[in-house]
Amino acid sequence: MLPIDAAAHSSRWRHRHPVDKAVLGLGLTLLAISLPPWPGAALVLVTALVVLLGPAGVPARRLWRAYRVPLGFCATGAITLLVQVGGPDGFVSPAPDGPVRAGELLLRTSAASLGVLLFAFTTPMSDLLPRLVKAGVPAPVVDVALVTYRMSFLLLDSMRRIREAQAARLGHTNRAAEWRSLAGLGATAFVRAFDRAARLQDGLAGRGYDGTLRVLVPEAHVSARFTAAAVVLLATVAALTFVLERPLR
């Protein structure tokens, strides 16, 4: 199981309905995208951090390990705005207003990523996917997503075991051995994934699979109080943005 999935299963909000957490987490993401980057996205970023580390109870180290990956993509995208290609100043030159645009992009994307992480750190996929059928998503699509979700963990576990076996046979001592081990890892993982898929198909057929996977979904109800508090928080962030934006103009 991935660390973010393990954190979602042990979250304080684990037993809340996904709609409650979607209103808050995805609402913060929408605000980060739609509000002015300064001070709107900055307020969203601070709010998401406070909620994640406070009421949601996400450990700071685990949050950073998950956040640094999208943050790296955000920074990479922002760096490209610092320069322009072509023009009177040469083939590559500093872009006009590049630092401002890069800062705004970094602020927006990093805040939006925290909103998505808030939902991911509190909502296990096993709770979310089966409920998508009631939201109108076709059942076969949800079934494929569920099987892919389950198979990804098995595949990752198989790859970890293969790498451990290769390391025990000195398969990573030099570059040539590393390439041979990488090729062997890809080939073995493909064969094992194909074999597991075939056995899964046989197992489903033996259990009378009729096109719909039936799984137990934990009982949960949408909390009107939690949802209302989330809406009030989002409205407060939006109102505070417009109040603070006027003196900054």
Side-chain angles (χ1 to χ4, degrees):
M1 184 175 288
L2 297 176
I4 194 169
D5 291 292
H9 279 278
S10 60
S11 170
R12 293 175 185 171
W13 294 351
R14 161 73 170 77
H15 299 291
R16 289 197 173 278
H17 197 282
V19 170
D20 295 345
K21 295 168 281 190
V23 171
L24 180 57
L26 302 185
L28 287 172
T29 300
L30 289 177
L31 287 183
I33 297 172
S34 57
L35 290 176
W38 178 260
L43 288 174
V44 171
L45 190 147
V46 172
T47 304
L49 274 179
V50 170
V51 174
L52 276 163
L53 301 177
V58 178
R61 178 176 294 183
R62 189 170 288 181
L63 174 62
W64 168 245
R65 293 184 64 181
Y67 185 45
R68 61 187 179 184
V69 177
L71 190 60
F73 283 103
C74 299
T76 304
I79 288 173
T80 60
L81 298 178
L82 296 176
V83 297
Q84 66 177 4
V85 179
D89 297 329
F91 181 69
V92 178
S93 59
D97 300 329
V100 175
R101 295 174 60 196
E104 291 178 350
L105 177 65
L106 184 60
L107 208 52
R108 278 189 190 279
T109 52
S110 57
S113 300
L114 277 180
V116 175
L117 284 178
L118 173 59
F119 184 69
F121 263 108
T122 55
T123 309
M125 292 294 287
S126 56
D127 288 358
L128 175 64
L129 290 176
R131 289 186 168 92
L132 292 179
V133 177
K134 294 182 179 179
V137 178
V141 175
V142 175
D143 290 349
V144 171
L146 276 171
V147 173
T148 304
Y149 175 69
R150 172 61 179 161
M151 291 291 289
S152 62
F153 292 115
L154 297 176
L155 187 59
L156 288 174
D157 183 63
S158 296
M159 293 176 67
R160 180 183 60 81
R161 292 174 183 272
I162 294 170
R163 285 191 63 83
E164 289 177 353
Q166 290 174 339
R169 293 195 294 269
L170 304 179
H172 306 293
T173 53
N174 53 48
R175 182 172 297 180
E178 188 75 34
W179 280 109
R180 282 196 300 271
S181 297
L182 184 62
L185 174 64
T188 307
F190 174 78
V191 172
R192 289 195 179 187
F194 195 82
D195 178 64
R196 285 185 180 276
R199 285 192 287 167
L200 178 63
Q201 179 65 30
D202 293 340
L204 290 174
R207 289 172 172 81
Y209 178 63
D210 59 355
T212 303
L213 288 175
R214 294 175 178 81
V215 297
L216 290 175
V217 182
E219 187 73 20
H221 301 283
V222 177
S223 171
R225 180 179 299 179
F226 187 93
T227 305
V231 172
V232 169
L233 178 63
L234 297 175
T236 302
V237 171
L240 198 57
T241 298
F242 293 116
V243 169
L244 294 177
E245 186 188 14
R246 293 178 182 175
L248 295 176
R249 286 180 178 174

